[in-house]
Amino acid sequence: MTHELPALPYDYSALEPVIDTQTMKLHHDMHHGAYVKNLNAALEKHPNVQSKSAEELLRDLNAVPEDIRTAVRNNGGGHVNHTMFWKIMKPKGGGDPNGAIAAIIKKAFGNFKDFQAKFNDAGAKHFGSGWVWLVASPGSEDARIITTPNQDNPISQGLFPIMGNDVWEHAYYLKYNNRRPEYLAAWWNVVNWDEINKRVESLKSHREPALAHR
Ligand code: MN3
């Protein structure tokens, strides 16, 4: 079984002006495309782990053969992270969170504005490439913000990624240049709270978040 690059759930231009068309094309087709290609190439060497989902591989990296462990961590992480990323955005998104995610944010941060400020600050201060996340332990609704380097996904630490934003320069540099905080602030206008609420349902029931495409 091979992993596949999922189609974007909207046009390349759909997230304008927050995320520009050219960035979406390069980010999805080239960057995410390369993670999928490189993940498949690594797994070709070990048919015994090819039946596992990308999430299963990341959840127990020690079970991945050592000679492909770094490749699976980086490219499997890149695949799972971006599969989530495209889904948790939508054109005309944003606004205040609703439903279960609103309750989680209120419990952990008091209000949405304070959560946004802390999430943006963590993303802005993260040194180099990586992701900023809202995570919880599976089955718990006590959420917190973490950052991870490179393409590391929180599931490798036993945490459930409720939502995350990509702070690699490839995510924003064409439009925002070095102004990462501007990108982080604008990103809230394309957040898809309905999709994030679906992920919260998975968190509550200890299920995997929607699996990355194979
Ligand atoms: Mn990226």
Side-chain angles (χ1 to χ4, degrees), residues 5-12 15 19 23-33 35-36 78-91 131 164 166 170-171 183 187 190-192 195 213:
L5 177 65
L8 271 186
Y10 34 71
D11 291 341
Y12 294 114
L15 303 182
I19 304 180
T23 293
M24 289 300 290
K25 277 186 183 163
L26 291 168
H27 199 175
H28 176 270
D29 296 5
M30 300 295 129
H31 290 274
H32 191 174
Y35 298 132
V36 172
H79 180 35
V80 172
N81 295 347
H82 289 87
T83 299
M84 171 206 72
F85 188 58
W86 312 129
K87 285 186 179 174
I88 65 163
M89 300 191 290
K90 67 172 186 179
W131 290 73
D166 187 343
H170 68 225
Y183 157 72
W187 182 71
V190 291
V191 166
N192 181 347
E195 181 64 28
H213 281 58

mmCIF file of all heavy atoms in Angstrom, residues 5-12 15 19 23-33 35-36 78-91 131 164 166 170-171 183 187 190-192 195 213:
data_model
loop_
_atom_site.group_PDB
_atom_site.id
_atom_site.type_symbol
_atom_site.label_atom_id
_atom_site.label_comp_id
_atom_site.label_asym_id
_atom_site.label_seq_id
_atom_site.Cartn_x
_atom_site.Cartn_y
_atom_site.Cartn_z
ATOM 1 N N LEU A 5 -1.010 11.663 -1.872
ATOM 2 C CA LEU A 5 -1.227 13.087 -1.600
ATOM 3 C C LEU A 5 -2.720 13.385 -1.727
ATOM 4 O O LEU A 5 -3.301 13.196 -2.800
ATOM 5 C CB LEU A 5 -0.435 13.923 -2.608
ATOM 6 C CG LEU A 5 -0.587 15.449 -2.533
ATOM 7 C CD1 LEU A 5 -0.037 15.983 -1.213
ATOM 8 C CD2 LEU A 5 0.132 16.118 -3.710
ATOM 9 N N PRO A 6 -3.372 13.841 -0.635
ATOM 10 C CA PRO A 6 -4.804 14.153 -0.750
ATOM 11 C C PRO A 6 -4.999 15.434 -1.556
ATOM 12 O O PRO A 6 -4.182 16.352 -1.481
ATOM 13 C CB PRO A 6 -5.246 14.353 0.703
ATOM 14 C CG PRO A 6 -4.009 14.784 1.424
ATOM 15 C CD PRO A 6 -2.853 14.121 0.715
ATOM 16 N N ALA A 7 -6.085 15.468 -2.326
ATOM 17 C CA ALA A 7 -6.396 16.707 -3.051
ATOM 18 C C ALA A 7 -6.769 17.788 -2.041
ATOM 19 O O ALA A 7 -7.332 17.496 -0.987
ATOM 20 C CB ALA A 7 -7.561 16.469 -4.005
ATOM 21 N N LEU A 8 -6.450 19.018 -2.382
ATOM 22 C CA LEU A 8 -6.904 20.133 -1.544
ATOM 23 C C LEU A 8 -8.433 20.151 -1.544
ATOM 24 O O LEU A 8 -9.044 19.946 -2.596
ATOM 25 C CB LEU A 8 -6.434 21.471 -2.126
ATOM 26 C CG LEU A 8 -5.096 22.059 -1.752
ATOM 27 C CD1 LEU A 8 -4.991 23.444 -2.378
ATOM 28 C CD2 LEU A 8 -4.886 22.134 -0.255
ATOM 29 N N PRO A 9 -9.066 20.433 -0.403
ATOM 30 C CA PRO A 9 -10.543 20.465 -0.376
ATOM 31 C C PRO A 9 -11.129 21.768 -0.917
ATOM 32 O O PRO A 9 -12.318 22.014 -0.755
ATOM 33 C CB PRO A 9 -10.863 20.276 1.112
ATOM 34 C CG PRO A 9 -9.653 20.712 1.849
ATOM 35 C CD PRO A 9 -8.467 20.524 0.935
ATOM 36 N N TYR A 10 -10.308 22.601 -1.564
ATOM 37 C CA TYR A 10 -10.762 23.871 -2.157
ATOM 38 C C TYR A 10 -9.717 24.267 -3.194
ATOM 39 O O TYR A 10 -8.680 23.614 -3.321
ATOM 40 C CB TYR A 10 -10.907 24.958 -1.078
ATOM 41 C CG TYR A 10 -9.885 24.840 0.033
ATOM 42 C CD1 TYR A 10 -8.537 25.145 -0.191
ATOM 43 C CD2 TYR A 10 -10.237 24.367 1.299
ATOM 44 C CE1 TYR A 10 -7.600 24.994 0.805
ATOM 45 C CE2 TYR A 10 -9.291 24.212 2.306
ATOM 46 C CZ TYR A 10 -7.972 24.533 2.046
ATOM 47 O OH TYR A 10 -7.033 24.357 3.030
ATOM 48 N N ASP A 11 -9.989 25.336 -3.945
ATOM 49 C CA ASP A 11 -9.039 25.789 -4.966
ATOM 50 C C ASP A 11 -7.766 26.362 -4.333
ATOM 51 O O ASP A 11 -7.796 26.820 -3.199
ATOM 52 C CB ASP A 11 -9.671 26.885 -5.826
ATOM 53 C CG ASP A 11 -10.780 26.348 -6.709
ATOM 54 O OD1 ASP A 11 -10.826 25.111 -6.924
ATOM 55 O OD2 ASP A 11 -11.604 27.160 -7.165
ATOM 56 N N TYR A 12 -6.715 26.393 -5.125
ATOM 57 C CA TYR A 12 -5.452 26.997 -4.646
ATOM 58 C C TYR A 12 -5.652 28.453 -4.223
ATOM 59 O O TYR A 12 -4.964 28.955 -3.356
ATOM 60 C CB TYR A 12 -4.397 26.962 -5.758
ATOM 61 C CG TYR A 12 -3.933 25.589 -6.154
ATOM 62 C CD1 TYR A 12 -4.204 25.073 -7.413
ATOM 63 C CD2 TYR A 12 -3.191 24.803 -5.262
ATOM 64 C CE1 TYR A 12 -3.766 23.811 -7.786
ATOM 65 C CE2 TYR A 12 -2.746 23.533 -5.627
ATOM 66 C CZ TYR A 12 -3.037 23.046 -6.899
ATOM 67 O OH TYR A 12 -2.602 21.793 -7.263
ATOM 68 N N LEU A 15 -8.000 30.558 -0.344
ATOM 69 C CA LEU A 15 -7.677 31.157 0.956
ATOM 70 C C LEU A 15 -7.099 32.566 0.821
ATOM 71 O O LEU A 15 -6.670 33.165 1.811
ATOM 72 C CB LEU A 15 -6.714 30.250 1.739
ATOM 73 C CG LEU A 15 -7.220 28.818 1.975
ATOM 74 C CD1 LEU A 15 -6.215 28.023 2.798
ATOM 75 C CD2 LEU A 15 -8.583 28.782 2.639
ATOM 76 N N ILE A 19 -3.764 33.440 2.548
ATOM 77 C CA ILE A 19 -2.671 32.628 1.992
ATOM 78 C C ILE A 19 -2.772 32.711 0.477
ATOM 79 O O ILE A 19 -3.819 32.399 -0.105
ATOM 80 C CB ILE A 19 -2.732 31.168 2.475
ATOM 81 C CG1 ILE A 19 -2.717 31.114 4.018
ATOM 82 C CG2 ILE A 19 -1.554 30.373 1.905
ATOM 83 C CD1 ILE A 19 -2.770 29.705 4.591
ATOM 84 N N THR A 23 1.735 30.301 -2.944
ATOM 85 C CA THR A 23 2.155 29.573 -1.735
ATOM 86 C C THR A 23 1.379 28.270 -1.613
ATOM 87 O O THR A 23 1.956 27.214 -1.322
ATOM 88 C CB THR A 23 1.954 30.438 -0.470
ATOM 89 O OG1 THR A 23 2.856 31.546 -0.532
ATOM 90 C CG2 THR A 23 2.205 29.649 0.805
ATOM 91 N N MET A 24 0.068 28.307 -1.867
ATOM 92 C CA MET A 24 -0.738 27.089 -1.764
ATOM 93 C C MET A 24 -0.287 26.036 -2.774
ATOM 94 O O MET A 24 -0.214 24.851 -2.462
ATOM 95 C CB MET A 24 -2.221 27.412 -1.970
ATOM 96 C CG MET A 24 -2.849 28.175 -0.807
ATOM 97 S SD MET A 24 -2.794 27.290 0.787
ATOM 98 C CE MET A 24 -3.966 25.982 0.455
ATOM 99 N N LYS A 25 0.000 26.475 -4.008
ATOM 100 C CA LYS A 25 0.450 25.527 -5.037
ATOM 101 C C LYS A 25 1.751 24.852 -4.641
ATOM 102 O O LYS A 25 1.888 23.628 -4.691
ATOM 103 C CB LYS A 25 0.659 26.255 -6.374
ATOM 104 C CG LYS A 25 -0.612 26.435 -7.161
ATOM 105 C CD LYS A 25 -0.318 27.036 -8.527
ATOM 106 C CE LYS A 25 -1.629 27.287 -9.272
ATOM 107 N NZ LYS A 25 -1.467 28.208 -10.395
ATOM 108 N N LEU A 26 2.730 25.667 -4.260
ATOM 109 C CA LEU A 26 4.033 25.114 -3.887
ATOM 110 C C LEU A 26 3.927 24.261 -2.630
ATOM 111 O O LEU A 26 4.517 23.187 -2.531
ATOM 112 C CB LEU A 26 5.036 26.250 -3.656
ATOM 113 C CG LEU A 26 5.453 27.029 -4.896
ATOM 114 C CD1 LEU A 26 6.196 28.301 -4.505
ATOM 115 C CD2 LEU A 26 6.336 26.167 -5.801
ATOM 116 N N HIS A 27 3.166 24.766 -1.658
ATOM 117 C CA HIS A 27 3.089 24.101 -0.359
ATOM 118 C C HIS A 27 2.420 22.730 -0.500
ATOM 119 O O HIS A 27 2.918 21.729 0.020
ATOM 120 C CB HIS A 27 2.310 25.008 0.608
ATOM 121 C CG HIS A 27 2.528 24.707 2.062
ATOM 122 N ND1 HIS A 27 2.000 25.474 3.065
ATOM 123 C CD2 HIS A 27 3.208 23.712 2.689
ATOM 124 C CE1 HIS A 27 2.345 24.965 4.232
ATOM 125 N NE2 HIS A 27 3.075 23.896 4.029
ATOM 126 N N HIS A 28 1.297 22.694 -1.194
ATOM 127 C CA HIS A 28 0.582 21.423 -1.351
ATOM 128 C C HIS A 28 1.286 20.493 -2.345
ATOM 129 O O HIS A 28 1.638 19.358 -2.020
ATOM 130 C CB HIS A 28 -0.863 21.673 -1.807
ATOM 131 C CG HIS A 28 -1.624 20.414 -2.077
ATOM 132 N ND1 HIS A 28 -1.648 19.814 -3.319
ATOM 133 C CD2 HIS A 28 -2.350 19.612 -1.254
ATOM 134 C CE1 HIS A 28 -2.372 18.705 -3.237
ATOM 135 N NE2 HIS A 28 -2.809 18.564 -2.012
ATOM 136 N N ASP A 29 1.494 20.967 -3.563
ATOM 137 C CA ASP A 29 1.991 20.068 -4.617
ATOM 138 C C ASP A 29 3.452 19.666 -4.403
ATOM 139 O O ASP A 29 3.803 18.487 -4.565
ATOM 140 C CB ASP A 29 1.871 20.735 -5.993
ATOM 141 C CG ASP A 29 0.425 21.016 -6.399
ATOM 142 O OD1 ASP A 29 -0.486 20.786 -5.579
ATOM 143 O OD2 ASP A 29 0.224 21.475 -7.530
ATOM 144 N N MET A 30 4.273 20.653 -4.064
ATOM 145 C CA MET A 30 5.715 20.380 -3.975
ATOM 146 C C MET A 30 6.127 19.898 -2.584
ATOM 147 O O MET A 30 6.751 18.856 -2.457
ATOM 148 C CB MET A 30 6.506 21.647 -4.327
ATOM 149 C CG MET A 30 6.245 22.165 -5.725
ATOM 150 S SD MET A 30 6.826 21.001 -6.975
ATOM 151 C CE MET A 30 5.384 20.853 -7.998
ATOM 152 N N HIS A 31 5.792 20.662 -1.550
ATOM 153 C CA HIS A 31 6.260 20.289 -0.207
ATOM 154 C C HIS A 31 5.533 19.033 0.299
ATOM 155 O O HIS A 31 6.167 18.032 0.611
ATOM 156 C CB HIS A 31 6.089 21.456 0.766
ATOM 157 C CG HIS A 31 7.028 22.582 0.494
ATOM 158 N ND1 HIS A 31 8.309 22.629 0.997
ATOM 159 C CD2 HIS A 31 6.887 23.698 -0.264
ATOM 160 C CE1 HIS A 31 8.918 23.731 0.572
ATOM 161 N NE2 HIS A 31 8.070 24.403 -0.196
ATOM 162 N N HIS A 32 4.196 19.100 0.378
ATOM 163 C CA HIS A 32 3.462 17.919 0.847
ATOM 164 C C HIS A 32 3.693 16.748 -0.116
ATOM 165 O O HIS A 32 3.886 15.607 0.312
ATOM 166 C CB HIS A 32 1.966 18.254 0.988
ATOM 167 C CG HIS A 32 1.170 17.190 1.699
ATOM 168 N ND1 HIS A 32 -0.152 17.361 2.036
ATOM 169 C CD2 HIS A 32 1.491 15.927 2.102
ATOM 170 C CE1 HIS A 32 -0.596 16.262 2.643
ATOM 171 N NE2 HIS A 32 0.375 15.374 2.690
ATOM 172 N N GLY A 33 3.695 17.034 -1.410
ATOM 173 C CA GLY A 33 3.947 15.982 -2.399
ATOM 174 C C GLY A 33 5.272 15.264 -2.154
ATOM 175 O O GLY A 33 5.356 14.031 -2.262
ATOM 176 N N TYR A 35 6.872 14.998 0.747
ATOM 177 C CA TYR A 35 6.807 14.182 1.972
ATOM 178 C C TYR A 35 6.187 12.817 1.663
ATOM 179 O O TYR A 35 6.648 11.782 2.145
ATOM 180 C CB TYR A 35 5.991 14.894 3.064
ATOM 181 C CG TYR A 35 6.561 16.226 3.520
ATOM 182 C CD1 TYR A 35 5.761 17.360 3.618
ATOM 183 C CD2 TYR A 35 7.912 16.340 3.858
ATOM 184 C CE1 TYR A 35 6.289 18.581 4.032
ATOM 185 C CE2 TYR A 35 8.444 17.557 4.264
ATOM 186 C CZ TYR A 35 7.630 18.677 4.339
ATOM 187 O OH TYR A 35 8.141 19.887 4.738
ATOM 188 N N VAL A 36 5.128 12.820 0.861
ATOM 189 C CA VAL A 36 4.455 11.563 0.518
ATOM 190 C C VAL A 36 5.394 10.669 -0.302
ATOM 191 O O VAL A 36 5.540 9.472 -0.021
ATOM 192 C CB VAL A 36 3.148 11.850 -0.255
ATOM 193 C CG1 VAL A 36 2.534 10.563 -0.793
ATOM 194 C CG2 VAL A 36 2.141 12.579 0.644
ATOM 195 N N GLY A 78 5.417 15.009 8.028
ATOM 196 C CA GLY A 78 5.026 16.012 7.041
ATOM 197 C C GLY A 78 3.697 15.660 6.385
ATOM 198 O O GLY A 78 2.851 16.531 6.155
ATOM 199 N N HIS A 79 3.500 14.379 6.111
ATOM 200 C CA HIS A 79 2.245 13.934 5.482
ATOM 201 C C HIS A 79 1.055 14.121 6.427
ATOM 202 O O HIS A 79 0.045 14.717 6.064
ATOM 203 C CB HIS A 79 2.402 12.474 5.062
ATOM 204 C CG HIS A 79 1.193 11.882 4.403
ATOM 205 N ND1 HIS A 79 0.355 12.602 3.589
ATOM 206 C CD2 HIS A 79 0.677 10.612 4.461
ATOM 207 C CE1 HIS A 79 -0.632 11.814 3.150
ATOM 208 N NE2 HIS A 79 -0.460 10.618 3.682
ATOM 209 N N VAL A 80 1.183 13.638 7.654
ATOM 210 C CA VAL A 80 0.064 13.732 8.607
ATOM 211 C C VAL A 80 -0.218 15.200 8.962
ATOM 212 O O VAL A 80 -1.385 15.625 9.015
ATOM 213 C CB VAL A 80 0.378 12.913 9.884
ATOM 214 C CG1 VAL A 80 -0.675 13.152 10.967
ATOM 215 C CG2 VAL A 80 0.461 11.428 9.542
ATOM 216 N N ASN A 81 0.837 15.971 9.194
ATOM 217 C CA ASN A 81 0.643 17.375 9.581
ATOM 218 C C ASN A 81 -0.092 18.157 8.503
ATOM 219 O O ASN A 81 -1.027 18.912 8.784
ATOM 220 C CB ASN A 81 1.995 18.049 9.838
ATOM 221 C CG ASN A 81 2.720 17.454 11.026
ATOM 222 O OD1 ASN A 81 2.150 16.705 11.809
ATOM 223 N ND2 ASN A 81 4.000 17.778 11.153
ATOM 224 N N HIS A 82 0.339 17.982 7.260
ATOM 225 C CA HIS A 82 -0.284 18.770 6.186
ATOM 226 C C HIS A 82 -1.680 18.266 5.833
ATOM 227 O O HIS A 82 -2.547 19.060 5.461
ATOM 228 C CB HIS A 82 0.633 18.819 4.959
ATOM 229 C CG HIS A 82 1.849 19.667 5.193
ATOM 230 N ND1 HIS A 82 2.984 19.158 5.761
ATOM 231 C CD2 HIS A 82 2.077 20.997 4.991
ATOM 232 C CE1 HIS A 82 3.877 20.141 5.889
ATOM 233 N NE2 HIS A 82 3.354 21.268 5.430
ATOM 234 N N THR A 83 -1.916 16.969 5.970
ATOM 235 C CA THR A 83 -3.262 16.440 5.733
ATOM 236 C C THR A 83 -4.254 17.101 6.687
ATOM 237 O O THR A 83 -5.369 17.484 6.288
ATOM 238 C CB THR A 83 -3.268 14.905 5.884
ATOM 239 O OG1 THR A 83 -2.378 14.355 4.910
ATOM 240 C CG2 THR A 83 -4.661 14.328 5.691
ATOM 241 N N MET A 84 -3.835 17.258 7.945
ATOM 242 C CA MET A 84 -4.669 18.000 8.902
ATOM 243 C C MET A 84 -4.770 19.463 8.516
ATOM 244 O O MET A 84 -5.869 20.052 8.535
ATOM 245 C CB MET A 84 -4.070 17.905 10.317
ATOM 246 C CG MET A 84 -4.753 18.838 11.332
ATOM 247 S SD MET A 84 -3.687 19.333 12.715
ATOM 248 C CE MET A 84 -2.545 20.466 11.866
ATOM 249 N N PHE A 85 -3.648 20.059 8.161
ATOM 250 C CA PHE A 85 -3.573 21.512 7.931
ATOM 251 C C PHE A 85 -4.556 21.963 6.856
ATOM 252 O O PHE A 85 -5.285 22.937 7.048
ATOM 253 C CB PHE A 85 -2.132 21.853 7.542
ATOM 254 C CG PHE A 85 -1.826 23.314 7.442
ATOM 255 C CD1 PHE A 85 -2.012 24.162 8.527
ATOM 256 C CD2 PHE A 85 -1.305 23.851 6.266
ATOM 257 C CE1 PHE A 85 -1.698 25.513 8.433
ATOM 258 C CE2 PHE A 85 -0.988 25.198 6.166
ATOM 259 C CZ PHE A 85 -1.183 26.031 7.252
ATOM 260 N N TRP A 86 -4.594 21.261 5.716
ATOM 261 C CA TRP A 86 -5.509 21.680 4.632
ATOM 262 C C TRP A 86 -6.958 21.601 5.099
ATOM 263 O O TRP A 86 -7.781 22.418 4.738
ATOM 264 C CB TRP A 86 -5.337 20.808 3.377
ATOM 265 C CG TRP A 86 -3.926 20.610 2.942
ATOM 266 C CD1 TRP A 86 -3.311 19.407 2.658
ATOM 267 C CD2 TRP A 86 -2.917 21.606 2.710
ATOM 268 N NE1 TRP A 86 -2.004 19.615 2.306
ATOM 269 C CE2 TRP A 86 -1.736 20.944 2.323
ATOM 270 C CE3 TRP A 86 -2.897 23.004 2.821
ATOM 271 C CZ2 TRP A 86 -0.549 21.625 2.028
ATOM 272 C CZ3 TRP A 86 -1.718 23.683 2.532
ATOM 273 C CH2 TRP A 86 -0.572 22.995 2.141
ATOM 274 N N LYS A 87 -7.256 20.570 5.911
ATOM 275 C CA LYS A 87 -8.650 20.376 6.334
ATOM 276 C C LYS A 87 -9.101 21.383 7.370
ATOM 277 O O LYS A 87 -10.289 21.717 7.420
ATOM 278 C CB LYS A 87 -8.818 18.970 6.930
ATOM 279 C CG LYS A 87 -8.850 17.851 5.918
ATOM 280 C CD LYS A 87 -9.171 16.590 6.674
ATOM 281 C CE LYS A 87 -9.260 15.384 5.782
ATOM 282 N NZ LYS A 87 -9.427 14.174 6.614
ATOM 283 N N ILE A 88 -8.190 21.819 8.229
ATOM 284 C CA ILE A 88 -8.631 22.739 9.291
ATOM 285 C C ILE A 88 -8.639 24.194 8.819
ATOM 286 O O ILE A 88 -8.770 25.111 9.632
ATOM 287 C CB ILE A 88 -7.825 22.582 10.605
ATOM 288 C CG1 ILE A 88 -6.355 22.969 10.413
ATOM 289 C CG2 ILE A 88 -7.976 21.165 11.171
ATOM 290 C CD1 ILE A 88 -5.631 23.228 11.737
ATOM 291 N N MET A 89 -8.514 24.362 7.504
ATOM 292 C CA MET A 89 -8.690 25.705 6.933
ATOM 293 C C MET A 89 -9.823 25.633 5.912
ATOM 294 O O MET A 89 -10.135 24.578 5.373
ATOM 295 C CB MET A 89 -7.410 26.170 6.232
ATOM 296 C CG MET A 89 -6.210 26.246 7.168
ATOM 297 S SD MET A 89 -4.786 27.074 6.443
ATOM 298 C CE MET A 89 -4.257 25.897 5.199
ATOM 299 N N LYS A 90 -10.446 26.796 5.658
ATOM 300 C CA LYS A 90 -11.461 26.871 4.609
ATOM 301 C C LYS A 90 -11.634 28.335 4.213
ATOM 302 O O LYS A 90 -11.368 29.240 5.018
ATOM 303 C CB LYS A 90 -12.790 26.278 5.062
ATOM 304 C CG LYS A 90 -13.484 27.058 6.167
ATOM 305 C CD LYS A 90 -14.889 26.515 6.412
ATOM 306 C CE LYS A 90 -15.642 27.366 7.413
ATOM 307 N NZ LYS A 90 -17.011 26.893 7.656
ATOM 308 N N PRO A 91 -12.105 28.560 2.982
ATOM 309 C CA PRO A 91 -12.411 29.934 2.605
ATOM 310 C C PRO A 91 -13.540 30.473 3.484
ATOM 311 O O PRO A 91 -14.429 29.717 3.876
ATOM 312 C CB PRO A 91 -12.843 29.830 1.136
ATOM 313 C CG PRO A 91 -13.100 28.384 0.889
ATOM 314 C CD PRO A 91 -12.335 27.602 1.896
ATOM 315 N N TRP A 131 6.043 23.587 14.028
ATOM 316 C CA TRP A 131 4.597 23.759 14.140
ATOM 317 C C TRP A 131 4.239 24.240 15.533
ATOM 318 O O TRP A 131 4.902 23.902 16.512
ATOM 319 C CB TRP A 131 3.884 22.420 13.871
ATOM 320 C CG TRP A 131 3.953 21.961 12.447
ATOM 321 C CD1 TRP A 131 5.061 21.461 11.804
ATOM 322 C CD2 TRP A 131 2.895 21.974 11.485
ATOM 323 N NE1 TRP A 131 4.740 21.171 10.499
ATOM 324 C CE2 TRP A 131 3.422 21.468 10.275
ATOM 325 C CE3 TRP A 131 1.557 22.349 11.540
ATOM 326 C CZ2 TRP A 131 2.650 21.334 9.124
ATOM 327 C CZ3 TRP A 131 0.785 22.217 10.392
ATOM 328 C CH2 TRP A 131 1.329 21.716 9.196
ATOM 329 N N GLY A 164 -3.235 22.744 14.585
ATOM 330 C CA GLY A 164 -1.859 23.225 14.523
ATOM 331 C C GLY A 164 -1.668 24.151 13.342
ATOM 332 O O GLY A 164 -2.389 24.067 12.342
ATOM 333 N N ASP A 166 1.372 25.758 10.716
ATOM 334 C CA ASP A 166 2.686 25.508 10.125
ATOM 335 C C ASP A 166 3.494 26.799 10.190
ATOM 336 O O ASP A 166 3.089 27.805 9.608
ATOM 337 C CB ASP A 166 2.445 25.080 8.661
ATOM 338 C CG ASP A 166 3.690 24.613 7.944
ATOM 339 O OD1 ASP A 166 4.807 24.892 8.428
ATOM 340 O OD2 ASP A 166 3.539 23.974 6.882
ATOM 341 N N HIS A 170 8.227 28.187 4.374
ATOM 342 C CA HIS A 170 7.519 27.900 3.115
ATOM 343 C C HIS A 170 6.009 28.168 3.237
ATOM 344 O O HIS A 170 5.329 28.291 2.233
ATOM 345 C CB HIS A 170 7.807 26.473 2.617
ATOM 346 C CG HIS A 170 7.259 25.347 3.440
ATOM 347 N ND1 HIS A 170 7.993 24.230 3.769
ATOM 348 C CD2 HIS A 170 6.040 25.137 4.007
ATOM 349 C CE1 HIS A 170 7.256 23.406 4.486
ATOM 350 N NE2 HIS A 170 6.068 23.924 4.647
ATOM 351 N N ALA A 171 5.514 28.232 4.469
ATOM 352 C CA ALA A 171 4.073 28.458 4.674
ATOM 353 C C ALA A 171 3.674 29.919 4.477
ATOM 354 O O ALA A 171 2.494 30.207 4.267
ATOM 355 C CB ALA A 171 3.668 27.999 6.080
ATOM 356 N N TYR A 183 1.568 36.660 9.599
ATOM 357 C CA TYR A 183 0.947 35.433 9.069
ATOM 358 C C TYR A 183 0.135 34.737 10.165
ATOM 359 O O TYR A 183 -1.018 34.346 9.951
ATOM 360 C CB TYR A 183 2.032 34.509 8.512
ATOM 361 C CG TYR A 183 1.660 33.046 8.446
ATOM 362 C CD1 TYR A 183 0.732 32.572 7.504
ATOM 363 C CD2 TYR A 183 2.236 32.118 9.319
ATOM 364 C CE1 TYR A 183 0.396 31.223 7.447
ATOM 365 C CE2 TYR A 183 1.906 30.775 9.265
ATOM 366 C CZ TYR A 183 0.989 30.335 8.341
ATOM 367 O OH TYR A 183 0.659 29.007 8.298
ATOM 368 N N TRP A 187 -3.928 34.133 9.935
ATOM 369 C CA TRP A 187 -4.344 32.739 9.738
ATOM 370 C C TRP A 187 -5.712 32.426 10.358
ATOM 371 O O TRP A 187 -6.486 31.613 9.824
ATOM 372 C CB TRP A 187 -3.272 31.809 10.325
ATOM 373 C CG TRP A 187 -3.553 30.352 10.146
ATOM 374 C CD1 TRP A 187 -3.502 29.631 8.987
ATOM 375 C CD2 TRP A 187 -3.923 29.418 11.184
ATOM 376 N NE1 TRP A 187 -3.801 28.314 9.232
ATOM 377 C CE2 TRP A 187 -4.070 28.157 10.566
ATOM 378 C CE3 TRP A 187 -4.123 29.536 12.559
ATOM 379 C CZ2 TRP A 187 -4.414 27.011 11.295
ATOM 380 C CZ3 TRP A 187 -4.465 28.397 13.280
ATOM 381 C CH2 TRP A 187 -4.618 27.151 12.647
ATOM 382 N N VAL A 190 -8.946 32.017 8.284
ATOM 383 C CA VAL A 190 -9.268 30.857 7.436
ATOM 384 C C VAL A 190 -9.434 29.574 8.254
ATOM 385 O O VAL A 190 -9.530 28.482 7.697
ATOM 386 C CB VAL A 190 -8.197 30.635 6.322
ATOM 387 C CG1 VAL A 190 -8.260 31.765 5.296
ATOM 388 C CG2 VAL A 190 -6.796 30.497 6.896
ATOM 389 N N VAL A 191 -9.492 29.695 9.568
ATOM 390 C CA VAL A 191 -9.627 28.491 10.404
ATOM 391 C C VAL A 191 -11.034 27.902 10.249
ATOM 392 O O VAL A 191 -12.030 28.619 10.227
ATOM 393 C CB VAL A 191 -9.318 28.826 11.877
ATOM 394 C CG1 VAL A 191 -9.784 27.711 12.802
ATOM 395 C CG2 VAL A 191 -7.825 29.058 12.060
ATOM 396 N N ASN A 192 -11.069 26.580 10.128
ATOM 397 C CA ASN A 192 -12.319 25.829 9.949
ATOM 398 C C ASN A 192 -12.708 25.170 11.285
ATOM 399 O O ASN A 192 -12.285 24.054 11.586
ATOM 400 C CB ASN A 192 -12.089 24.768 8.858
ATOM 401 C CG ASN A 192 -13.322 23.946 8.563
ATOM 402 O OD1 ASN A 192 -14.302 23.971 9.305
ATOM 403 N ND2 ASN A 192 -13.272 23.204 7.476
ATOM 404 N N GLU A 195 -14.317 21.589 11.311
ATOM 405 C CA GLU A 195 -13.381 20.467 11.172
ATOM 406 C C GLU A 195 -12.640 20.235 12.489
ATOM 407 O O GLU A 195 -12.404 19.084 12.884
ATOM 408 C CB GLU A 195 -12.394 20.756 10.031
ATOM 409 C CG GLU A 195 -11.395 19.654 9.773
ATOM 410 C CD GLU A 195 -12.021 18.346 9.304
ATOM 411 O OE1 GLU A 195 -13.095 18.396 8.680
ATOM 412 O OE2 GLU A 195 -11.432 17.282 9.583
ATOM 413 N N HIS A 213 -4.468 10.263 4.090
ATOM 414 C CA HIS A 213 -4.718 9.415 2.917
ATOM 415 C C HIS A 213 -3.576 8.440 2.716
ATOM 416 O O HIS A 213 -2.428 8.779 2.884
ATOM 417 C CB HIS A 213 -4.862 10.264 1.655
ATOM 418 C CG HIS A 213 -6.198 10.891 1.530
ATOM 419 N ND1 HIS A 213 -6.698 11.732 2.490
ATOM 420 C CD2 HIS A 213 -7.130 10.804 0.583
ATOM 421 C CE1 HIS A 213 -7.887 12.140 2.124
ATOM 422 N NE2 HIS A 213 -8.186 11.599 0.965
#
